[in-house]
Amino acid sequence: MLRRVTAKNGTGRWGLLLLSAIAFLLPWGEGDRAAAAPAEVTEFDLSATDLYPGSIASGPDGNLWVAITRGQLGRPGFEQQYEGVAARISPAGLITEFPAPVPWFGALASGPGGNVWYLQEKEVGFISPAGSFNRLTPTPSSVGGLAAGPDGNVWVTERNDPGTDAVLRVTPAGEVTRFPLPHRESGPSAITLGPDGALWFTETFGDRIGRITTSGGLREFPVPSRPVGITTGPDGNIWFTYWRGVGRMTLSGKVSEFPLRQPKTDAVEWMLGPIVTGPDGRLWFPNGVGRIGRISPSGRMTQVDLPFGGSFPVDVTLGPDGALWYSAWGDSPCVGGSSCQRYVPRRGGLVGRIVPGDLAVSIASARAAVVRGRAKIRLRCQEGDASSVCGGAIRLKRGAVTVGRAGYRVPTDTRRAVMLRLTRKGRALLSHRHRLPVTATATLRSGESDRRSIVLVRHRDR
């Protein structure tokens, strides 16, 4: 039965890579949860046996498509049996499932012929809008990521451990051209179409990002440890996730790093996974249990808490309706040890839809120091577009008396202190006491406002 929840918030190294790329286990501290952005999130439950939703993509048919592995309890001893399912999801959340010929498939992407293309361990194919699988061509080694190229072909990364990795060009008829990479065991993973018409891809074990033209011209750039996800950003740069952070790279190879805040823990270090440009001009990525992270082109990070806090988002995409969509496990994954052989998620998976909220300003101060007749009030600007600015006026009142007022401009996704000069009456009220409770109101030019009680605290002038 479909459940809809809407809320406002805010084995070997390839085995490890696979789990890491699915897990994205990098939770933020609890102090960050309270500052979650007030986006609108709607979640739709999949079948109770759809335990492992994976790649999600926006299809050319105007629907979302999700690769799912359905788990079934098998023989005694908690051994599992699996089958593959492709789920077609309308923007309204109507879910239709189609059986897949293999239990594990993924890396979905919209491609030529009006189809959704997929990867299986050693196979490339596509799914028609009616849900039929067309198994085109086998590959000699396991495949990593895929993307539609500007030449009408599909481009695929191929991992050949311990041999020579490659990038493949696959025609709609299934003809494959292989372009070997210069470094062995570099671990090519995600791939995306760049703003320059070339294909850009991550080399996870080589600590590089590669660029290949449609004629096979190759160039590589060094980046921070273990790059995984990759996308073209709204600023015309290449954005990627890496081990413990998000990176931005210009087309000439200049890299800027934005590390994520990390809790103090002895847990295994995990890589982040997919990253995609959202409808608000920010980059979005799964960020651990119950969270989707996002970063503006200037590097300011925020996050959105999901309605079901125990869910585990694994992939994100921009939907045909202009909203951000994600797939998620209904339970945190097993992170190691013999017990993982018997791991069974406690609930089925889900898909979610996120609509960023309207531009909003809030008063972040509970108290404000007053020095030489000026009060320091902290404001927080959030939501809107990544390039938005909260502008308006802030006013302090004690009953009917205006204690202070000032204009402000605060870039979105930031907190900023506004220095507000007290009125003569305000200074007089404060001169008779050390603390003065007042009501602070911050109003946007559009008319929306935030109001809270704060305390002005007088400091002696030096």
Side-chain angles (χ1 to χ4, degrees):
M1 182 176 182
L2 183 64
R3 180 185 68 95
R4 174 172 176 162
V5 178
T6 302
K8 287 192 176 182
N9 305 221
T11 53
R13 65 179 187 175
W14 279 115
L16 175 61
L17 174 63
L18 177 60
L19 181 58
S20 299
I22 294 175
F24 322 137
L25 264 176
L26 191 55
W28 291 12
E30 286 301 315
D32 296 311
R33 290 189 68 98
E40 181 177 303
V41 186
T42 304
E43 291 187 337
F44 305 92
D45 274 347
L46 299 171
S47 167
T49 56
D50 291 347
L51 299 180
Y52 307 102
S55 180
I56 183 170
S58 182
D61 60 345
N63 294 306
L64 285 304
W65 289 80
V66 183
I68 298 172
T69 294
R70 173 173 290 171
Q72 296 178 326
L73 285 176
R75 297 180 296 278
F78 294 93
E79 294 182 10
Q80 291 253 1
Q81 296 175 342
Y82 302 105
E83 59 183 8
V85 174
R88 185 182 64 204
I89 305 169
S90 73
L94 178 64
I95 301 174
T96 306
E97 296 185 345
F98 305 95
V102 291
W104 299 93
F105 70 102
L108 301 181
S110 180
N115 300 306
V116 173
W117 289 65
Y118 73 91
L119 299 180
Q120 198 261 340
E121 183 182 2
K122 293 186 178 183
E123 176 183 293
V124 181
F126 63 84
I127 311 170
S128 73
S132 63
F133 278 73
N134 297 267
R135 308 175 73 175
L136 274 186
T137 182
T139 63
S141 301
S142 63
V143 287
L146 86 164
D151 56 350
N153 298 311
V154 171
W155 289 76
V156 178
T157 57
E158 179 193 61
R159 303 186 293 243
N160 190 9
D161 192 5
T164 301
D165 298 324
V167 176
L168 310 180
R169 182 178 62 207
V170 183
T171 70
E175 299 174 356
V176 176
T177 304
R178 191 171 187 268
F179 300 97
L181 299 182
H183 305 279
R184 294 170 62 90
E185 301 182 42
S186 61
S189 299
I191 185 169
T192 191
L193 177 62
D196 56 352
L199 285 302
W200 294 71
F201 57 94
T202 53
E203 297 180 49
T204 301
F205 292 131
D207 297 340
R208 289 178 294 269
I209 284 180
R211 174 187 181 273
I212 188 168
T213 66
T214 54
S215 60
L218 180 68
R219 187 178 178 186
E220 295 176 311
F221 304 89
V223 294
S225 178
R226 301 295 191 261
V228 184
I230 191 168
T231 194
T232 295
D235 55 354
N237 293 313
I238 300 299
W239 285 77
F240 60 96
T241 56
Y242 66 91
W243 200 290
R244 297 284 185 181
V246 177
R248 179 184 65 212
M249 188 175 71
T250 66
L251 300 187
S252 62
K254 183 180 178 181
V255 175
S256 300
E257 300 176 35
F258 304 97
L260 294 178
R261 287 170 285 184
Q262 306 165 17
K264 294 181 178 179
T265 176
D266 295 328
V268 177
E269 291 185 275
W270 299 96
M271 289 176 285
L272 292 179
I275 184 169
V276 68
T277 295
D280 56 350
R282 298 175 178 89
L283 289 302
W284 293 69
F285 52 93
N287 190 35
V289 179
R291 298 177 175 97
I292 300 285
R294 60 186 182 179
I295 182 171
S296 70
S298 61
R300 294 190 294 266
M301 288 191 186
T302 54
Q303 67 180 34
V304 172
D305 288 348
L306 305 180
F308 180 61
S311 65
F312 204 80
V314 296
D315 197 13
V316 288
T317 191
L318 182 63
D321 57 348
L324 190 90
W325 287 75
Y326 62 91
S327 56
W329 294 5
D331 191 14
S332 301
C334 186
V335 298
S338 59
S339 62
C340 289
Q341 298 176 2
R342 299 185 177 185
Y343 168 71
V344 179
R346 290 172 292 183
R347 55 169 289 171
L350 54 89
V351 293
R353 178 179 183 268
I354 302 177
V355 178
D358 295 330
L359 185 65
V361 66
S362 59
I363 300 166
S365 299
R367 50 186 286 164
V370 179
V371 180
R372 295 186 175 92
R374 294 166 66 90
K376 186 177 183 179
I377 312 293
R378 290 192 175 275
L379 300 181
R380 179 189 295 119
C381 180
Q382 54 191 349
E383 291 302 316
D385 293 329
S387 59
S388 298
V389 173
C390 289
I394 182 169
R395 183 184 298 267
L396 306 181
K397 298 190 75 172
R398 171 76 171 177
V401 177
T402 297
V403 175
R405 55 176 173 262
Y408 66 85
R409 282 179 59 83
V410 180
T412 191
D413 297 334
T414 61
R415 296 189 199 187
R416 180 161 294 179
V418 176
M419 300 305 296
L420 184 150
R421 182 176 292 279
L422 299 188
T423 63
R424 183 187 305 175
K425 289 183 179 180
R427 293 194 300 271
L429 286 171
L430 190 60
S431 67
H432 298 295
R433 64 191 75 189
H434 180 65
R435 298 161 61 89
L436 180 67
V438 298
T439 299
T441 304
T443 305
L444 288 172
R445 292 194 183 96
S446 57
E448 292 83 358
S449 64
D450 181 55
R451 178 180 299 173
R452 70 175 295 181
S453 297
I454 66 173
V455 177
L456 303 182
V457 180
R458 178 165 54 89
H459 282 211
R460 289 185 177 179
D461 295 343
R462 295 183 178 178

